[in-house]
């Protein structure tokens, strides 16, 4: 845990889930730069009047620091973990949970926004979707300030702000962070939001060949099938029967969809910490007329933390190896440990990943076994059984 110092006070902050050896902070230089700007470090303090919306807050640092504002600031995020981190950070600082209104990217935003603070996301598509969704609530008097690390803000980022909201400029860089200042202006028509996108799967990926995928903004590989998932789809287990299968970190849901189509008795749960991903998985499932659609369940959550122990027969997983811009295996390890707890005895975890990530080492340590099911020069499919 670390302490963020601002003119509004000091705040103890941590990522979620918190653990004793956590090395990554719950905020960065861009958050600090934005808060200093609001406090008047660059001139006059920003008048935080009316409805304040914080879009893309990473771990609740901005929402926690601004929680004293009234009416309650609104945090809008795609991440379940961010929402849980915000709740935990409010609690550890003695702030009432009602001090911040938590919304997901799929929720209806406020009708009027007077101050819009945007942490620039890694995905330009997610930024586009969110700006288009928020634009109708922005008015000429709205204060719009974006923030990000220098590596996160590009010419395309500024053009997007300008196209959707109005004239845009940037600040000087401070500690490798930069601010974006946008002046909203009336538009004859709102910017067209192209999301979600749909595309057709290729004809060589098993049960889902030629079917439709629906991707909401920010979901990995929004306009095509990524090569790792393609390899996984070609090497899925050929199991049959009334089993409980989990597509863990489901993304757009094509892996779980393939299972549901190949085995009409299987019950499939789609789980992801991204609201956009779960919305994509649901839309993909419904777009393809799957028999007995009530066999599917769609959950936004922290890996398998809410799944009863010993209740799952098969977990399919393509784990991420990034947390925002940090390369880490923390999420993969939590997915593996959660899968082991959720699996019944004899149940299996199947994982696809880049060969160089060495997931077989972790799986052998956790399960006591690991078998290579398929491999090519770039990817490997691994199977571990709970004994």
């Amino acid at each position: 845990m670390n302490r963020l110092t601002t003119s509004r006070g000091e705040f103890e902050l941590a990522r979620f889930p918190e653990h004793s050896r956590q090395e990554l902070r719950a905020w960065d230089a861009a958050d600090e730069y934005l808060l200093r700007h609001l406090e008047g470090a660059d001139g006059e303090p920003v008048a935080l009047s009316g409805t304040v919306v914080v879009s893309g807050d990473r771990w609740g640092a901005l929402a926690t620091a601004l929680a004293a504002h009234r009416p309650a600031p609104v945090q809008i995020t795609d991440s379940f973990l961010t929402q849980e981190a915000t709740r935990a950070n409010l609690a550890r600082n003695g702030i009432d949970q009602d001090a911040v209104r938590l919304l997901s990217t799929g929720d209806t935003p406020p009708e009027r926004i007077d101050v819009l603070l945007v942490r620039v996301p890694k995905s330009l598509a997610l930024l586009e979707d969110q700006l288009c969704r928020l634009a109708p609530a922005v008015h000429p008097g709205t204060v719009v300030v974006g923030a990000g690390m220098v590596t996160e803000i590009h010419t395309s980022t500024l053009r997007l702000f300008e196209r959707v909201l109005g004239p845009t400029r940037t600040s000087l860089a401070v500690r490798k962070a930069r601010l974006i200042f946008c002046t909203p202006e009336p538009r004859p028509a709102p910017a067209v939001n192209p999301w979600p996108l749909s595309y057709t799967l290729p004809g060589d990926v098993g049960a889902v060949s030629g079917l439709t995928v629906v991707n909401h903004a920010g979901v990995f590989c929004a306009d095509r099938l990524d090569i790792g998932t393609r390899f996984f789809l070609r090497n899925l287990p050929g199991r049959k029967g009334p089993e409980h299968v989990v597509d863990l970190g489901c993304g757009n849901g094509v892996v779980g969809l393939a299972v549901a189509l190949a085995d009409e008795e299987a019950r499939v749960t789609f789980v992801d910490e991204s609201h956009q991903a779960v919305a994509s998985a649901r839309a993909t499932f419904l777009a393809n007329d799957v028999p007995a659609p009530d066999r599917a369940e769609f959950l936004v959550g922290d890996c398998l933390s809410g799944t009863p122990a010993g209740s799952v027969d098969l977990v399919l997983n393509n784990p991420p190896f990034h947390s925002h811009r940090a390369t880490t295996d923390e999420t993969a390890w939590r997915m593996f440990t959660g899968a082991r707890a959720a699996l019944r005895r004899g149940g299996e975890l199947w994982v696809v990943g880049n060969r160089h990530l060495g997931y077989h080492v972790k799986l052998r340590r956790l399960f006591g076994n690991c078998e290579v099911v398929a491999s090519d020069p770039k990817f490997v499919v691994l199977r571990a059984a709970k004994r």
Side-chain angles (χ1 to χ4, degrees), residues 135-169:
V138 171
H139 54 86
T142 301
V143 175
V144 180
V145 186
M149 303 306 291
V150 169
T151 54
E152 298 171 329
I153 297 175
H154 311 282
T155 301
S156 57
T157 312
L158 306 181
R159 287 175 178 166
L160 184 55
F161 271 88
E162 189 141 333
R163 177 174 67 83
V164 178
L165 296 179
T168 301
R169 61 183 179 87

PDB file of all heavy atoms in Angstrom, residues 135-169:
ATOM      1  N   ALA A 135     -20.502  12.437 -24.987  1.00  0.00           N
ATOM      2  CA  ALA A 135     -20.621  13.724 -25.682  1.00  0.00           C
ATOM      3  C   ALA A 135     -21.994  14.379 -25.548  1.00  0.00           C
ATOM      4  O   ALA A 135     -22.084  15.609 -25.371  1.00  0.00           O
ATOM      5  CB  ALA A 135     -20.261  13.545 -27.156  1.00  0.00           C
ATOM      6  N   PRO A 136     -23.117  13.627 -25.631  1.00  0.00           N
ATOM      7  CA  PRO A 136     -24.420  14.294 -25.506  1.00  0.00           C
ATOM      8  C   PRO A 136     -24.626  14.994 -24.163  1.00  0.00           C
ATOM      9  O   PRO A 136     -25.450  15.912 -24.060  1.00  0.00           O
ATOM     10  CB  PRO A 136     -25.418  13.140 -25.676  1.00  0.00           C
ATOM     11  CG  PRO A 136     -24.695  12.116 -26.475  1.00  0.00           C
ATOM     12  CD  PRO A 136     -23.282  12.207 -25.992  1.00  0.00           C
ATOM     13  N   ALA A 137     -23.892  14.585 -23.123  1.00  0.00           N
ATOM     14  CA  ALA A 137     -24.048  15.199 -21.800  1.00  0.00           C
ATOM     15  C   ALA A 137     -23.108  16.375 -21.583  1.00  0.00           C
ATOM     16  O   ALA A 137     -23.234  17.113 -20.598  1.00  0.00           O
ATOM     17  CB  ALA A 137     -23.808  14.148 -20.719  1.00  0.00           C
ATOM     18  N   VAL A 138     -22.164  16.562 -22.508  1.00  0.00           N
ATOM     19  CA  VAL A 138     -21.196  17.656 -22.403  1.00  0.00           C
ATOM     20  C   VAL A 138     -21.788  18.918 -23.020  1.00  0.00           C
ATOM     21  O   VAL A 138     -22.463  18.856 -24.048  1.00  0.00           O
ATOM     22  CB  VAL A 138     -19.883  17.263 -23.105  1.00  0.00           C
ATOM     23  CG1 VAL A 138     -18.934  18.439 -23.214  1.00  0.00           C
ATOM     24  CG2 VAL A 138     -19.211  16.110 -22.346  1.00  0.00           C
ATOM     25  N   HIS A 139     -21.543  20.069 -22.406  1.00  0.00           N
ATOM     26  CA  HIS A 139     -22.054  21.340 -22.913  1.00  0.00           C
ATOM     27  C   HIS A 139     -20.886  22.314 -23.087  1.00  0.00           C
ATOM     28  O   HIS A 139     -19.757  22.031 -22.641  1.00  0.00           O
ATOM     29  CB  HIS A 139     -23.116  21.906 -21.970  1.00  0.00           C
ATOM     30  CG  HIS A 139     -22.650  22.038 -20.548  1.00  0.00           C
ATOM     31  ND1 HIS A 139     -21.979  23.155 -20.084  1.00  0.00           N
ATOM     32  CD2 HIS A 139     -22.756  21.187 -19.484  1.00  0.00           C
ATOM     33  CE1 HIS A 139     -21.690  23.000 -18.800  1.00  0.00           C
ATOM     34  NE2 HIS A 139     -22.151  21.819 -18.411  1.00  0.00           N
ATOM     35  N   PRO A 140     -21.086  23.475 -23.723  1.00  0.00           N
ATOM     36  CA  PRO A 140     -19.964  24.389 -23.973  1.00  0.00           C
ATOM     37  C   PRO A 140     -19.216  24.823 -22.723  1.00  0.00           C
ATOM     38  O   PRO A 140     -18.041  25.180 -22.797  1.00  0.00           O
ATOM     39  CB  PRO A 140     -20.640  25.576 -24.673  1.00  0.00           C
ATOM     40  CG  PRO A 140     -21.824  24.983 -25.358  1.00  0.00           C
ATOM     41  CD  PRO A 140     -22.306  23.912 -24.425  1.00  0.00           C
ATOM     42  N   GLY A 141     -19.860  24.784 -21.565  1.00  0.00           N
ATOM     43  CA  GLY A 141     -19.183  25.189 -20.339  1.00  0.00           C
ATOM     44  C   GLY A 141     -18.486  24.051 -19.609  1.00  0.00           C
ATOM     45  O   GLY A 141     -17.862  24.276 -18.558  1.00  0.00           O
ATOM     46  N   THR A 142     -18.557  22.852 -20.139  1.00  0.00           N
ATOM     47  CA  THR A 142     -17.943  21.703 -19.472  1.00  0.00           C
ATOM     48  C   THR A 142     -16.422  21.814 -19.497  1.00  0.00           C
ATOM     49  O   THR A 142     -15.823  22.107 -20.535  1.00  0.00           O
ATOM     50  CB  THR A 142     -18.358  20.382 -20.149  1.00  0.00           C
ATOM     51  OG1 THR A 142     -19.776  20.244 -20.101  1.00  0.00           O
ATOM     52  CG2 THR A 142     -17.717  19.194 -19.454  1.00  0.00           C
ATOM     53  N   VAL A 143     -15.812  21.587 -18.348  1.00  0.00           N
ATOM     54  CA  VAL A 143     -14.350  21.514 -18.270  1.00  0.00           C
ATOM     55  C   VAL A 143     -13.943  20.080 -18.615  1.00  0.00           C
ATOM     56  O   VAL A 143     -14.378  19.129 -17.957  1.00  0.00           O
ATOM     57  CB  VAL A 143     -13.853  21.878 -16.854  1.00  0.00           C
ATOM     58  CG1 VAL A 143     -12.338  21.678 -16.749  1.00  0.00           C
ATOM     59  CG2 VAL A 143     -14.235  23.307 -16.516  1.00  0.00           C
ATOM     60  N   VAL A 144     -13.134  19.933 -19.648  1.00  0.00           N
ATOM     61  CA  VAL A 144     -12.680  18.607 -20.076  1.00  0.00           C
ATOM     62  C   VAL A 144     -11.165  18.545 -19.972  1.00  0.00           C
ATOM     63  O   VAL A 144     -10.458  19.326 -20.619  1.00  0.00           O
ATOM     64  CB  VAL A 144     -13.110  18.292 -21.530  1.00  0.00           C
ATOM     65  CG1 VAL A 144     -12.607  16.906 -21.944  1.00  0.00           C
ATOM     66  CG2 VAL A 144     -14.625  18.374 -21.673  1.00  0.00           C
ATOM     67  N   VAL A 145     -10.658  17.639 -19.135  1.00  0.00           N
ATOM     68  CA  VAL A 145      -9.225  17.460 -18.975  1.00  0.00           C
ATOM     69  C   VAL A 145      -8.914  15.972 -19.058  1.00  0.00           C
ATOM     70  O   VAL A 145      -9.500  15.168 -18.331  1.00  0.00           O
ATOM     71  CB  VAL A 145      -8.707  18.007 -17.622  1.00  0.00           C
ATOM     72  CG1 VAL A 145      -7.179  17.913 -17.578  1.00  0.00           C
ATOM     73  CG2 VAL A 145      -9.169  19.437 -17.395  1.00  0.00           C
ATOM     74  N   GLY A 146      -8.020  15.622 -19.965  1.00  0.00           N
ATOM     75  CA  GLY A 146      -7.547  14.248 -20.059  1.00  0.00           C
ATOM     76  C   GLY A 146      -6.172  14.137 -19.443  1.00  0.00           C
ATOM     77  O   GLY A 146      -5.476  15.136 -19.239  1.00  0.00           O
ATOM     78  N   ALA A 147      -5.774  12.916 -19.126  1.00  0.00           N
ATOM     79  CA  ALA A 147      -4.460  12.692 -18.532  1.00  0.00           C
ATOM     80  C   ALA A 147      -3.940  11.336 -18.948  1.00  0.00           C
ATOM     81  O   ALA A 147      -4.700  10.376 -19.100  1.00  0.00           O
ATOM     82  CB  ALA A 147      -4.529  12.770 -17.000  1.00  0.00           C
ATOM     83  N   GLY A 148      -2.630  11.272 -19.138  1.00  0.00           N
ATOM     84  CA  GLY A 148      -2.012  10.001 -19.481  1.00  0.00           C
ATOM     85  C   GLY A 148      -0.508  10.139 -19.474  1.00  0.00           C
ATOM     86  O   GLY A 148       0.030  11.259 -19.430  1.00  0.00           O
ATOM     87  N   MET A 149       0.165   9.025 -19.514  1.00  0.00           N
ATOM     88  CA  MET A 149       1.605   9.053 -19.684  1.00  0.00           C
ATOM     89  C   MET A 149       1.912   9.420 -21.123  1.00  0.00           C
ATOM     90  O   MET A 149       1.085   9.223 -22.029  1.00  0.00           O
ATOM     91  CB  MET A 149       2.208   7.704 -19.315  1.00  0.00           C
ATOM     92  CG  MET A 149       1.887   7.252 -17.892  1.00  0.00           C
ATOM     93  SD  MET A 149       2.328   8.476 -16.625  1.00  0.00           S
ATOM     94  CE  MET A 149       4.134   8.408 -16.730  1.00  0.00           C
ATOM     95  N   VAL A 150       3.083   9.965 -21.366  1.00  0.00           N
ATOM     96  CA  VAL A 150       3.460  10.415 -22.708  1.00  0.00           C
ATOM     97  C   VAL A 150       3.290   9.288 -23.724  1.00  0.00           C
ATOM     98  O   VAL A 150       2.857   9.506 -24.857  1.00  0.00           O
ATOM     99  CB  VAL A 150       4.906  10.947 -22.698  1.00  0.00           C
ATOM    100  CG1 VAL A 150       5.406  11.175 -24.107  1.00  0.00           C
ATOM    101  CG2 VAL A 150       4.989  12.229 -21.878  1.00  0.00           C
ATOM    102  N   THR A 151       3.610   8.063 -23.319  1.00  0.00           N
ATOM    103  CA  THR A 151       3.501   6.928 -24.237  1.00  0.00           C
ATOM    104  C   THR A 151       2.059   6.558 -24.547  1.00  0.00           C
ATOM    105  O   THR A 151       1.806   5.769 -25.470  1.00  0.00           O
ATOM    106  CB  THR A 151       4.203   5.700 -23.631  1.00  0.00           C
ATOM    107  OG1 THR A 151       3.677   5.443 -22.319  1.00  0.00           O
ATOM    108  CG2 THR A 151       5.711   5.927 -23.543  1.00  0.00           C
ATOM    109  N   GLU A 152       1.102   7.102 -23.802  1.00  0.00           N
ATOM    110  CA  GLU A 152      -0.309   6.779 -24.008  1.00  0.00           C
ATOM    111  C   GLU A 152      -1.031   7.815 -24.855  1.00  0.00           C
ATOM    112  O   GLU A 152      -2.155   7.561 -25.318  1.00  0.00           O
ATOM    113  CB  GLU A 152      -1.020   6.679 -22.648  1.00  0.00           C
ATOM    114  CG  GLU A 152      -0.490   5.581 -21.750  1.00  0.00           C
ATOM    115  CD  GLU A 152      -1.056   5.634 -20.347  1.00  0.00           C
ATOM    116  OE1 GLU A 152      -1.364   6.747 -19.863  1.00  0.00           O
ATOM    117  OE2 GLU A 152      -1.185   4.566 -19.739  1.00  0.00           O
ATOM    118  N   ILE A 153      -0.427   8.977 -25.048  1.00  0.00           N
ATOM    119  CA  ILE A 153      -1.091  10.072 -25.765  1.00  0.00           C
ATOM    120  C   ILE A 153      -0.405  10.277 -27.109  1.00  0.00           C
ATOM    121  O   ILE A 153       0.786  10.583 -27.179  1.00  0.00           O
ATOM    122  CB  ILE A 153      -1.057  11.362 -24.929  1.00  0.00           C
ATOM    123  CG1 ILE A 153      -1.842  11.148 -23.631  1.00  0.00           C
ATOM    124  CG2 ILE A 153      -1.641  12.527 -25.713  1.00  0.00           C
ATOM    125  CD1 ILE A 153      -1.779  12.328 -22.679  1.00  0.00           C
ATOM    126  N   HIS A 154      -1.174  10.093 -28.166  1.00  0.00           N
ATOM    127  CA  HIS A 154      -0.643  10.199 -29.528  1.00  0.00           C
ATOM    128  C   HIS A 154      -1.441  11.242 -30.305  1.00  0.00           C
ATOM    129  O   HIS A 154      -2.459  11.752 -29.823  1.00  0.00           O
ATOM    130  CB  HIS A 154      -0.724   8.841 -30.222  1.00  0.00           C
ATOM    131  CG  HIS A 154      -0.170   7.717 -29.407  1.00  0.00           C
ATOM    132  ND1 HIS A 154       1.175   7.473 -29.282  1.00  0.00           N
ATOM    133  CD2 HIS A 154      -0.795   6.771 -28.645  1.00  0.00           C
ATOM    134  CE1 HIS A 154       1.379   6.431 -28.505  1.00  0.00           C
ATOM    135  NE2 HIS A 154       0.203   5.988 -28.102  1.00  0.00           N
ATOM    136  N   THR A 155      -0.992  11.529 -31.496  1.00  0.00           N
ATOM    137  CA  THR A 155      -1.740  12.448 -32.367  1.00  0.00           C
ATOM    138  C   THR A 155      -3.152  11.945 -32.584  1.00  0.00           C
ATOM    139  O   THR A 155      -4.122  12.722 -32.601  1.00  0.00           O
ATOM    140  CB  THR A 155      -1.023  12.594 -33.712  1.00  0.00           C
ATOM    141  OG1 THR A 155       0.305  13.084 -33.493  1.00  0.00           O
ATOM    142  CG2 THR A 155      -1.766  13.566 -34.615  1.00  0.00           C
ATOM    143  N   SER A 156      -3.313  10.613 -32.727  1.00  0.00           N
ATOM    144  CA  SER A 156      -4.646  10.034 -32.920  1.00  0.00           C
ATOM    145  C   SER A 156      -5.537  10.269 -31.708  1.00  0.00           C
ATOM    146  O   SER A 156      -6.758  10.443 -31.842  1.00  0.00           O
ATOM    147  CB  SER A 156      -4.531   8.537 -33.204  1.00  0.00           C
ATOM    148  OG  SER A 156      -3.831   7.876 -32.161  1.00  0.00           O
ATOM    149  N   THR A 157      -4.948  10.307 -30.512  1.00  0.00           N
ATOM    150  CA  THR A 157      -5.716  10.582 -29.296  1.00  0.00           C
ATOM    151  C   THR A 157      -6.291  11.992 -29.340  1.00  0.00           C
ATOM    152  O   THR A 157      -7.480  12.214 -29.064  1.00  0.00           O
ATOM    153  CB  THR A 157      -4.815  10.434 -28.058  1.00  0.00           C
ATOM    154  OG1 THR A 157      -4.087   9.217 -28.118  1.00  0.00           O
ATOM    155  CG2 THR A 157      -5.643  10.479 -26.780  1.00  0.00           C
ATOM    156  N   LEU A 158      -5.450  12.944 -29.693  1.00  0.00           N
ATOM    157  CA  LEU A 158      -5.889  14.341 -29.737  1.00  0.00           C
ATOM    158  C   LEU A 158      -6.924  14.558 -30.834  1.00  0.00           C
ATOM    159  O   LEU A 158      -7.903  15.293 -30.649  1.00  0.00           O
ATOM    160  CB  LEU A 158      -4.675  15.248 -29.954  1.00  0.00           C
ATOM    161  CG  LEU A 158      -3.522  15.062 -28.955  1.00  0.00           C
ATOM    162  CD1 LEU A 158      -2.390  16.021 -29.265  1.00  0.00           C
ATOM    163  CD2 LEU A 158      -4.014  15.239 -27.526  1.00  0.00           C
ATOM    164  N   ARG A 159      -6.712  13.930 -31.969  1.00  0.00           N
ATOM    165  CA  ARG A 159      -7.678  14.052 -33.066  1.00  0.00           C
ATOM    166  C   ARG A 159      -9.041  13.498 -32.656  1.00  0.00           C
ATOM    167  O   ARG A 159     -10.086  14.021 -33.059  1.00  0.00           O
ATOM    168  CB  ARG A 159      -7.162  13.319 -34.299  1.00  0.00           C
ATOM    169  CG  ARG A 159      -6.010  14.038 -35.008  1.00  0.00           C
ATOM    170  CD  ARG A 159      -5.474  13.194 -36.142  1.00  0.00           C
ATOM    171  NE  ARG A 159      -4.410  13.884 -36.858  1.00  0.00           N
ATOM    172  CZ  ARG A 159      -3.588  13.288 -37.722  1.00  0.00           C
ATOM    173  NH1 ARG A 159      -3.726  11.985 -37.971  1.00  0.00           N
ATOM    174  NH2 ARG A 159      -2.640  13.979 -38.333  1.00  0.00           N
ATOM    175  N   LEU A 160      -9.030  12.446 -31.863  1.00  0.00           N
ATOM    176  CA  LEU A 160     -10.287  11.855 -31.418  1.00  0.00           C
ATOM    177  C   LEU A 160     -11.038  12.804 -30.491  1.00  0.00           C
ATOM    178  O   LEU A 160     -12.248  13.025 -30.656  1.00  0.00           O
ATOM    179  CB  LEU A 160     -10.002  10.533 -30.713  1.00  0.00           C
ATOM    180  CG  LEU A 160     -11.200   9.719 -30.248  1.00  0.00           C
ATOM    181  CD1 LEU A 160     -12.154   9.450 -31.407  1.00  0.00           C
ATOM    182  CD2 LEU A 160     -10.726   8.409 -29.636  1.00  0.00           C
ATOM    183  N   PHE A 161     -10.353  13.391 -29.523  1.00  0.00           N
ATOM    184  CA  PHE A 161     -10.988  14.394 -28.667  1.00  0.00           C
ATOM    185  C   PHE A 161     -11.572  15.521 -29.513  1.00  0.00           C
ATOM    186  O   PHE A 161     -12.696  15.976 -29.283  1.00  0.00           O
ATOM    187  CB  PHE A 161      -9.970  14.970 -27.681  1.00  0.00           C
ATOM    188  CG  PHE A 161      -9.851  14.229 -26.386  1.00  0.00           C
ATOM    189  CD1 PHE A 161      -8.984  13.158 -26.260  1.00  0.00           C
ATOM    190  CD2 PHE A 161     -10.610  14.597 -25.284  1.00  0.00           C
ATOM    191  CE1 PHE A 161      -8.863  12.476 -25.060  1.00  0.00           C
ATOM    192  CE2 PHE A 161     -10.501  13.922 -24.081  1.00  0.00           C
ATOM    193  CZ  PHE A 161      -9.616  12.856 -23.974  1.00  0.00           C
ATOM    194  N   GLU A 162     -10.802  15.978 -30.488  1.00  0.00           N
ATOM    195  CA  GLU A 162     -11.229  17.109 -31.314  1.00  0.00           C
ATOM    196  C   GLU A 162     -12.427  16.744 -32.176  1.00  0.00           C
ATOM    197  O   GLU A 162     -13.367  17.533 -32.338  1.00  0.00           O
ATOM    198  CB  GLU A 162     -10.062  17.584 -32.184  1.00  0.00           C
ATOM    199  CG  GLU A 162     -10.349  18.882 -32.895  1.00  0.00           C
ATOM    200  CD  GLU A 162      -9.138  19.797 -32.930  1.00  0.00           C
ATOM    201  OE1 GLU A 162      -8.276  19.725 -32.039  1.00  0.00           O
ATOM    202  OE2 GLU A 162      -9.080  20.587 -33.874  1.00  0.00           O
ATOM    203  N   ARG A 163     -12.420  15.531 -32.740  1.00  0.00           N
ATOM    204  CA  ARG A 163     -13.526  15.117 -33.606  1.00  0.00           C
ATOM    205  C   ARG A 163     -14.821  14.961 -32.833  1.00  0.00           C
ATOM    206  O   ARG A 163     -15.898  15.339 -33.317  1.00  0.00           O
ATOM    207  CB  ARG A 163     -13.179  13.791 -34.302  1.00  0.00           C
ATOM    208  CG  ARG A 163     -14.303  13.247 -35.179  1.00  0.00           C
ATOM    209  CD  ARG A 163     -13.870  12.037 -35.959  1.00  0.00           C
ATOM    210  NE  ARG A 163     -13.605  10.888 -35.118  1.00  0.00           N
ATOM    211  CZ  ARG A 163     -14.554  10.060 -34.668  1.00  0.00           C
ATOM    212  NH1 ARG A 163     -15.828  10.285 -34.971  1.00  0.00           N
ATOM    213  NH2 ARG A 163     -14.236   9.025 -33.939  1.00  0.00           N
ATOM    214  N   VAL A 164     -14.741  14.428 -31.631  1.00  0.00           N
ATOM    215  CA  VAL A 164     -15.959  14.135 -30.869  1.00  0.00           C
ATOM    216  C   VAL A 164     -16.432  15.330 -30.052  1.00  0.00           C
ATOM    217  O   VAL A 164     -17.636  15.602 -29.980  1.00  0.00           O
ATOM    218  CB  VAL A 164     -15.736  12.917 -29.953  1.00  0.00           C
ATOM    219  CG1 VAL A 164     -16.982  12.633 -29.115  1.00  0.00           C
ATOM    220  CG2 VAL A 164     -15.364  11.690 -30.775  1.00  0.00           C
ATOM    221  N   LEU A 165     -15.488  16.088 -29.438  1.00  0.00           N
ATOM    222  CA  LEU A 165     -15.886  17.132 -28.496  1.00  0.00           C
ATOM    223  C   LEU A 165     -15.585  18.547 -28.963  1.00  0.00           C
ATOM    224  O   LEU A 165     -16.441  19.424 -28.861  1.00  0.00           O
ATOM    225  CB  LEU A 165     -15.210  16.892 -27.136  1.00  0.00           C
ATOM    226  CG  LEU A 165     -15.613  15.613 -26.402  1.00  0.00           C
ATOM    227  CD1 LEU A 165     -14.853  15.505 -25.083  1.00  0.00           C
ATOM    228  CD2 LEU A 165     -17.113  15.579 -26.153  1.00  0.00           C
ATOM    229  N   GLY A 166     -14.348  18.805 -29.405  1.00  0.00           N
ATOM    230  CA  GLY A 166     -14.005  20.167 -29.782  1.00  0.00           C
ATOM    231  C   GLY A 166     -12.506  20.399 -29.785  1.00  0.00           C
ATOM    232  O   GLY A 166     -11.719  19.462 -29.590  1.00  0.00           O
ATOM    233  N   PRO A 167     -12.068  21.655 -30.006  1.00  0.00           N
ATOM    234  CA  PRO A 167     -10.639  21.985 -30.093  1.00  0.00           C
ATOM    235  C   PRO A 167      -9.845  21.440 -28.899  1.00  0.00           C
ATOM    236  O   PRO A 167     -10.295  21.523 -27.745  1.00  0.00           O
ATOM    237  CB  PRO A 167     -10.641  23.518 -30.112  1.00  0.00           C
ATOM    238  CG  PRO A 167     -11.974  23.878 -30.695  1.00  0.00           C
ATOM    239  CD  PRO A 167     -12.925  22.835 -30.200  1.00  0.00           C
ATOM    240  N   THR A 168      -8.680  20.913 -29.197  1.00  0.00           N
ATOM    241  CA  THR A 168      -7.892  20.185 -28.194  1.00  0.00           C
ATOM    242  C   THR A 168      -6.430  20.589 -28.260  1.00  0.00           C
ATOM    243  O   THR A 168      -5.882  20.814 -29.335  1.00  0.00           O
ATOM    244  CB  THR A 168      -8.016  18.661 -28.439  1.00  0.00           C
ATOM    245  OG1 THR A 168      -9.395  18.278 -28.359  1.00  0.00           O
ATOM    246  CG2 THR A 168      -7.209  17.865 -27.433  1.00  0.00           C
ATOM    247  N   ARG A 169      -5.805  20.688 -27.097  1.00  0.00           N
ATOM    248  CA  ARG A 169      -4.367  20.944 -27.023  1.00  0.00           C
ATOM    249  C   ARG A 169      -3.796  20.142 -25.857  1.00  0.00           C
ATOM    250  O   ARG A 169      -4.538  19.590 -25.039  1.00  0.00           O
ATOM    251  CB  ARG A 169      -4.089  22.434 -26.817  1.00  0.00           C
ATOM    252  CG  ARG A 169      -4.667  23.009 -25.534  1.00  0.00           C
ATOM    253  CD  ARG A 169      -4.434  24.500 -25.412  1.00  0.00           C
ATOM    254  NE  ARG A 169      -5.029  25.035 -24.185  1.00  0.00           N
ATOM    255  CZ  ARG A 169      -4.428  25.065 -23.008  1.00  0.00           C
ATOM    256  NH1 ARG A 169      -3.175  24.587 -22.898  1.00  0.00           N
ATOM    257  NH2 ARG A 169      -5.019  25.569 -21.942  1.00  0.00           N
TER     258      ARG A 169
END
